[in-house]
Coordinates of all heavy atoms in Angstrom, one line a residue:
R160 N -103.9 47.0 103.7 CA -105.3 47.0 104.2 C -105.9 45.6 104.1 O -106.5 45.1 105.0 CB -106.1 48.1 103.5 CG -105.9 49.5 103.9 CD -106.9 50.5 103.4 NE -106.9 50.6 101.9 CZ -106.2 51.5 101.3 NH1 -105.5 52.3 101.9 NH2 -106.3 51.5 99.9
A161 N -105.7 45.0 102.9 CA -106.3 43.7 102.6 C -105.7 42.6 103.6 O -106.4 41.8 104.1 CB -106.1 43.3 101.2
L162 N -104.4 42.7 103.8 CA -103.7 41.8 104.7 C -104.2 42.0 106.1 O -104.5 41.0 106.8 CB -102.2 42.0 104.7 CG -101.5 41.5 103.4 CD1 -100.1 42.0 103.3 CD2 -101.4 39.9 103.3
A163 N -104.4 43.3 106.5 CA -104.9 43.6 107.9 C -106.3 43.0 108.0 O -106.7 42.6 109.1 CB -104.8 45.1 108.1
A164 N -107.1 43.1 107.0 CA -108.5 42.6 107.0 C -108.6 41.1 106.9 O -109.7 40.6 107.0 CB -109.3 43.3 105.9
G165 N -107.5 40.5 106.7 CA -107.5 39.0 106.6 C -108.1 38.5 105.3 O -108.5 37.3 105.2
E166 N -108.1 39.3 104.3 CA -108.6 38.9 103.0 C -107.8 37.8 102.4 O -108.3 36.9 101.6 CB -108.7 40.1 102.0 CG -109.9 41.0 102.4 CD -109.9 42.3 101.6 OE1 -109.5 42.2 100.4 OE2 -110.3 43.3 102.1
F167 N -106.5 37.8 102.6 CA -105.6 36.8 102.2 C -104.3 36.9 103.1 O -104.1 37.9 103.7 CB -105.2 36.8 100.7 CG -104.9 38.2 100.2 CD1 -103.7 38.8 100.3 CD2 -105.9 38.9 99.5 CE1 -103.4 40.1 99.9 CE2 -105.7 40.2 99.0 CZ -104.4 40.8 99.2
S168 N -103.5 35.9 103.1 CA -102.3 35.9 103.9 C -101.1 36.4 103.1 O -101.2 36.3 101.8 CB -102.0 34.5 104.5 OG -101.6 33.7 103.4
S169 N -100.1 36.8 103.7 CA -98.8 37.2 103.0 C -98.3 35.9 102.3 O -97.7 36.1 101.2 CB -97.8 37.7 104.0 OG -96.6 38.0 103.3
T170 N -98.4 34.8 102.9 CA -97.9 33.5 102.2 C -98.7 33.3 100.9 O -98.0 33.1 99.8 CB -98.1 32.3 103.1 OG1 -97.5 32.6 104.4 CG2 -97.6 31.1 102.5
E171 N -100.0 33.5 100.9 CA -100.7 33.3 99.6 C -100.3 34.3 98.6 O -100.1 34.0 97.4 CB -102.3 33.4 99.9 CG -102.8 32.3 100.7 CD -104.3 32.5 101.1 OE1 -104.5 33.6 101.8 OE2 -105.1 31.7 100.8
L172 N -100.2 35.6 99.0 CA -99.9 36.7 98.2 C -98.5 36.5 97.6 O -98.2 36.6 96.4 CB -99.9 38.0 99.0 CG -99.4 39.2 98.3 CD1 -100.3 39.6 97.1 CD2 -99.4 40.4 99.3
T173 N -97.5 36.0 98.4 CA -96.2 35.8 98.0 C -96.1 34.7 97.0 O -95.4 34.8 95.9 CB -95.3 35.5 99.2 OG1 -95.4 36.7 100.1 CG2 -93.8 35.3 98.8
R174 N -96.8 33.6 97.2 CA -96.9 32.5 96.2 C -97.4 33.0 94.9 O -96.8 32.7 93.8 CB -97.8 31.4 96.7 CG -97.1 30.4 97.5 CD -97.8 29.0 97.4 NE -97.1 28.3 98.5 CZ -97.7 28.2 99.7 NH1 -98.9 28.6 99.9 NH2 -97.0 27.6 100.6
H175 N -98.4 33.8 94.9 CA -99.0 34.4 93.7 C -98.0 35.2 92.9 O -97.8 35.1 91.7 CB -100.3 35.2 94.0 CG -100.8 35.9 92.9 ND1 -101.6 35.3 91.9 CD2 -100.8 37.2 92.5 CE1 -101.9 36.2 91.0 NE2 -101.5 37.4 91.4
L176 N -97.3 36.1 93.6 CA -96.4 37.0 93.0 C -95.1 36.2 92.5 O -94.6 36.5 91.4 CB -96.0 38.1 93.9 CG -97.1 39.2 94.1 CD1 -96.5 40.3 95.0 CD2 -97.6 39.7 92.8
L177 N -94.7 35.2 93.2 CA -93.6 34.4 92.7 C -93.9 33.7 91.4 O -93.1 33.6 90.5 CB -93.2 33.4 93.8 CG -92.4 33.9 95.0 CD1 -92.3 32.9 96.1 CD2 -91.0 34.4 94.6
Q178 N -95.2 33.2 91.3 CA -95.6 32.6 90.1 C -95.6 33.6 88.9 O -95.2 33.3 87.8 CB -97.0 32.1 90.2 CG -97.1 30.6 90.5 CD -98.5 30.2 91.0 OE1 -99.4 30.8 90.7 NE2 -98.5 29.1 91.7
R179 N -96.0 34.8 89.3 CA -96.1 35.9 88.3 C -94.6 36.3 87.8 O -94.4 36.5 86.6 CB -96.8 37.1 88.9 CG -97.4 37.9 87.9 CD -98.3 39.0 88.5 NE -98.3 40.1 87.6 CZ -99.0 40.1 86.5 NH1 -99.7 39.2 86.1 NH2 -98.9 41.2 85.7
V180 N -93.7 36.3 88.8 CA -92.3 36.6 88.5 C -91.8 35.6 87.5 O -91.2 35.9 86.5 CB -91.5 36.7 89.7 CG1 -90.0 36.7 89.4 CG2 -91.8 37.9 90.6
A181 N -92.1 34.3 87.8 CA -91.6 33.2 86.9 C -92.2 33.3 85.5 O -91.5 33.0 84.6 CB -92.0 31.8 87.6
S182 N -93.5 33.6 85.4 CA -94.1 33.6 84.1 C -93.7 34.9 83.3 O -94.0 35.0 82.1 CB -95.6 33.5 84.2 OG -96.1 34.6 84.9
H183 N -93.1 35.9 84.0 CA -92.6 37.1 83.2 C -91.1 37.1 83.2 O -90.5 38.2 83.1 CB -93.2 38.3 83.9 CG -94.7 38.5 83.6 ND1 -95.6 37.8 84.3 CD2 -95.3 39.2 82.7 CE1 -96.8 38.1 83.8 NE2 -96.7 39.0 82.9
E184 N -90.5 36.0 83.3 CA -89.0 36.0 83.3 C -88.4 36.7 82.1 O -87.3 37.3 82.2 CB -88.5 34.5 83.4 CG -87.2 34.3 84.0 CD -86.7 32.9 83.9 OE1 -87.5 32.0 84.0 OE2 -85.5 32.8 83.8
A185 N -89.1 36.6 81.0 CA -88.5 37.2 79.7 C -88.3 38.7 79.8 O -87.5 39.2 79.1 CB -89.4 36.8 78.6
L186 N -89.0 39.3 80.8 CA -88.8 40.8 80.9 C -87.4 41.1 81.4 O -86.8 42.2 81.2 CB -89.8 41.4 81.9 CG -91.2 41.6 81.4 CD1 -92.1 42.0 82.6 CD2 -91.3 42.6 80.3
G187 N -86.8 40.1 82.1 CA -85.4 40.3 82.6 C -85.2 41.1 83.8 O -84.1 41.6 84.1
C188 N -86.3 41.3 84.6 CA -86.3 42.2 85.7 C -85.4 41.7 86.9 O -84.7 42.5 87.5 CB -87.7 42.4 86.3 SG -88.8 43.2 85.2
F189 N -85.4 40.4 87.1 CA -84.7 39.9 88.3 C -83.3 39.3 87.9 O -83.1 38.7 86.8 CB -85.5 38.7 88.9 CG -86.6 39.3 89.8 CD1 -87.8 39.7 89.3 CD2 -86.4 39.3 91.2 CE1 -88.8 40.2 90.1 CE2 -87.4 39.8 92.0 CZ -88.6 40.2 91.5
L190 N -82.4 39.5 88.8 CA -81.1 38.8 88.7 C -81.0 37.6 89.6 O -80.3 36.7 89.4 CB -79.9 39.8 89.0 CG -79.6 40.9 88.0 CD1 -78.5 41.8 88.5 CD2 -79.3 40.3 86.6
H191 N -81.9 37.6 90.6 CA -82.0 36.5 91.6 C -83.3 36.5 92.2 O -83.8 37.5 92.7 CB -80.9 36.7 92.6 CG -80.9 35.6 93.6 ND1 -80.2 34.4 93.4 CD2 -81.4 35.4 94.8 CE1 -80.4 33.5 94.4 NE2 -81.1 34.2 95.3

Side-chain angles (χ1 to χ4, degrees):
R160 285 192 294 270
L162 288 164
E166 288 173 32
F167 43 81
S168 67
S169 175
T170 305
E171 289 170 304
L172 173 63
T173 301
R174 266 208 196 97
H175 172 75
L176 290 182
L177 283 169
Q178 260 166 24
R179 208 172 149 74
V180 167
S182 61
H183 288 77
E184 206 187 327
L186 286 174
C188 298
F189 280 79
L190 289 177
H191 181 82

